[in-house]
Amino acid sequence: MSKGTKYLAKEPDENGFIHYSDDEHDTWKQLYARQEVNLPGRACKEYLEGIEKLKMPKDRIPQLSEIDKVLQETTGWKTAPVPALISFGRFFELLATKQFPVATFIRSKDEFDYLQEPDIFHEIFGHCPLLTNPSFANFSHTYGKLGLAATKEERVFLARLYWFTVEFGLMKSNSGDLSIYGGGILSSPGETMYATGSEPELQPFDLLSVLRTPYRIDIMQPIYYLIESMDYLDEIVKMDIMGAVKQARQLGLFEPKFEPKAKAS
């Protein structure tokens, strides 16, 4: 859903197979190896359970059919290969039909630590493990249906809900343990360490506050919102999300916690 990209997604061949170069497979291998070290003790247990279920290869980029087999068996989801850029409408349409969009390119090594646009490592390694979890899968499905029915103006506010949960969500259990469930963090070696460090501001999840919080895609996040457990996503689904969107539009956005930029969200 980013507005500009230097990357070009790869097209599947007539058998649905996507061909990658040795160098692209090597990028996957390096990213996987680094996050395999970073994530234990930082990623939430549901994510680590999903990694076990998917059993994705560590030394090559997986084919989408390999991922689909496990997702279909666990929650009825599947992936959908997409270009590097898709519209909000297409994005919501896919989620509403239990299809997770996967941009079929992988980042260059000079953007190893942090990437603005979602690549296949971000989508597959960052998000797909949690799509084996019923609460996360149901939240994503409900979100897609809401977005599909929303106006253009409402979708801008809904984007913040996705950003601060599915992309950059953190979890803090009753015992005080902090863990990651947002795919934008889980797939970023740089943000994994930053988000669980002492620098960012952490706030308990509040729907209205989330909808009113500006963000930028090209920086480490200055603020993260905490849920108590994966089950809390089921509670968010039961909230009057569109009512909160209406209220957030009336109240307006909070002051940004970052330097201004012309194209900030």
Side-chain angles (χ1 to χ4, degrees), residues 100-151:
F100 193 76
V102 174
T104 51
F105 67 88
I106 196 159
R107 71 194 68 184
S108 60
K109 289 198 169 70
D110 61 334
E111 293 191 290
F112 192 82
D113 280 339
Y114 183 86
L115 185 71
Q116 287 187 42
E117 51 256 276
D119 70 344
I120 195 164
F121 186 79
H122 169 90
E123 307 287 32
I124 297 292
F125 186 91
H127 289 302
C128 286
L130 275 173
L131 279 171
T132 65
N133 177 272
S135 296
F136 185 90
N138 182 48
F139 177 83
S140 301
H141 186 215
T142 301
Y143 180 84
K145 290 188 289 185
L146 287 174
L148 199 56
T151 66

Side-chain angles (χ1 to χ4, degrees), residues 75 77 91-92 95-96 98 130-131 133-147 158-167 169 181 205 207 210-211 227 229-239 241:
T75 57
W77 277 69
F91 176 73
F92 289 123
L95 295 185
K98 296 187 178 181
L130 275 173
L131 279 171
N133 177 272
S135 296
F136 185 90
N138 182 48
F139 177 83
S140 301
H141 186 215
T142 301
Y143 180 84
K145 290 188 289 185
L146 287 174
L158 278 177
R160 297 187 182 95
L161 174 59
Y162 196 83
W163 187 262
F164 288 110
T165 54
V166 174
E167 291 293 355
Y181 74 97
F205 182 91
L207 179 58
V210 164
L211 295 173
I227 61 173
S229 68
M230 194 61 66
D231 294 343
Y232 190 74
L233 294 180
D234 294 323
E235 298 304 310
I236 299 174
V237 165
K238 295 172 188 172
M239 295 176 188
I241 294 173

Side-chain angles (χ1 to χ4, degrees), residues 156-225:
V156 174
F157 281 83
L158 278 177
R160 297 187 182 95
L161 174 59
Y162 196 83
W163 187 262
F164 288 110
T165 54
V166 174
E167 291 293 355
F168 290 93
L170 291 177
M171 197 182 295
K172 193 166 191 178
S173 67
N174 291 329
S175 60
D177 293 330
L178 186 69
S179 59
I180 308 164
Y181 74 97
I185 311 174
L186 293 164
S187 61
S188 167
E191 193 132 5
T192 294
M193 307 308 287
Y194 167 83
T196 52
S198 59
E199 193 174 340
E201 178 183 339
L202 306 180
Q203 290 289 344
F205 182 91
D206 174 76
L207 179 58
L208 191 57
S209 295
V210 164
L211 295 173
R212 298 180 64 199
T213 302
Y215 65 84
R216 269 176 57 181
I217 66 170
D218 59 339
I219 59 172
M220 298 289 184
Q221 302 307 304
I223 182 170
Y224 299 96
Y225 286 96

Side-chain angles (χ1 to χ4, degrees), residues 10 52 80 134 168:
K10 291 179 176 283
E52 281 296 309
F168 290 93

Side-chain angles (χ1 to χ4, degrees), residues 50-64:
I51 282 276
E52 281 296 309
K53 290 172 186 171
L54 284 177
K55 290 183 167 53
M56 64 183 87
K58 300 179 182 183
D59 60 347
R60 64 171 175 84
I61 301 170
Q63 292 297 315
L64 299 186

